[in-house]
Amino acid sequence: MKNIINTAKIQLKCFLLLFVIGLFVQSCEKDDLEIQQNYPFKVSVMPVPKDIAKDEYVEIRIKIIPEGNFADTKYYLRYFQFEGAGKLQYYNTQPYFPNDIYPLYEKEFRLYYTSTSEVSQSFTVWLLDSFGNEEKIEFQFNNKKLNG
């Protein structure tokens, strides 16, 4: 009787061991891990003045806020001016050309818009990521008359 109980215990232990090994092998069958790479993002823009005079510039502070973090996400900027004339640039780089795409190296940055006309001005900035997500920001400035 003792031999039968010992044999049953050994068989139960072997069964449990094989069951655990089976679960382990089954969980390792998948070749690729599911890693989320595509995270939508929002854009935060500090307030800017409503009026600008010719040859005056406005600093535009922008922050990209992704809903998750994937280290290889790349961000880009493009803009289009549809009213008035001016130039948009990143810090002290060359001014951007409308509708060209420029890489962004930081998620928090400053753009500088310089008016080159004496009329109201409007332009749109699009921020894109390497996964096709896009955010649009519109800017409008009234012409400020300088006395003098």
Side-chain angles (χ1 to χ4, degrees):
M1 185 73 164
K2 233 180 189 182
N3 272 346
I4 294 174
I5 293 175
N6 285 340
T7 305
K9 283 183 183 180
I10 291 173
Q11 286 178 346
L12 180 62
K13 287 180 183 178
C14 286
F15 173 76
L16 288 175
L17 181 63
L18 288 174
F19 180 74
V20 170
I21 291 173
L23 286 176
F24 180 72
V25 169
Q26 182 183 1
S27 68
C28 294
E29 278 183 21
K30 217 172 191 183
D31 286 341
D32 15 301
L33 295 173
E34 290 185 26
I35 298 174
Q36 184 174 350
Q37 299 173 352
N38 184 357
Y39 291 102
F41 63 90
K42 294 183 180 181
V43 176
S44 171
V45 180
M46 294 295 291
V48 294
K50 294 188 184 299
D51 301 321
I52 189 171
K54 183 177 179 184
D55 298 324
E56 189 176 46
Y57 75 89
V58 172
E59 180 182 76
I60 303 169
R61 295 181 184 193
I62 299 175
K63 183 176 185 179
I64 297 172
I65 306 165
E67 291 182 10
N69 188 20
F70 179 65
D72 291 335
T73 302
K74 307 277 190 264
Y75 294 96
Y76 304 93
L77 176 144
R78 74 182 165 96
Y79 95 102
F80 180 72
Q81 181 142 11
F82 51 89
E83 186 178 339
K87 47 186 188 175
L88 184 69
Q89 61 192 90
Y90 181 83
Y91 292 108
N92 59 356
T93 63
Q94 292 294 316
Y96 293 142
F97 291 108
N99 281 336
D100 283 357
I101 295 177
Y102 296 91
L104 293 171
Y105 302 104
E106 302 289 332
K107 291 181 191 169
E108 193 167 345
F109 57 95
R110 297 173 189 197
L111 298 175
Y112 295 91
Y113 176 77
T114 305
S115 170
T116 59
S117 67
E118 296 178 350
V119 296
S120 62
Q121 296 149 69
S122 300
F123 62 93
T124 306
V125 172
W126 284 270
L127 299 173
L128 311 97
D129 69 10
S130 49
F131 297 100
N133 298 308
E134 183 175 85
E135 285 291 323
K136 177 180 169 183
I137 313 164
E138 292 186 13
F139 295 95
Q140 295 181 335
F141 298 105
N142 296 318
N143 180 40
K144 178 167 60 172
K145 303 273 186 206
L146 294 178
N147 295 333

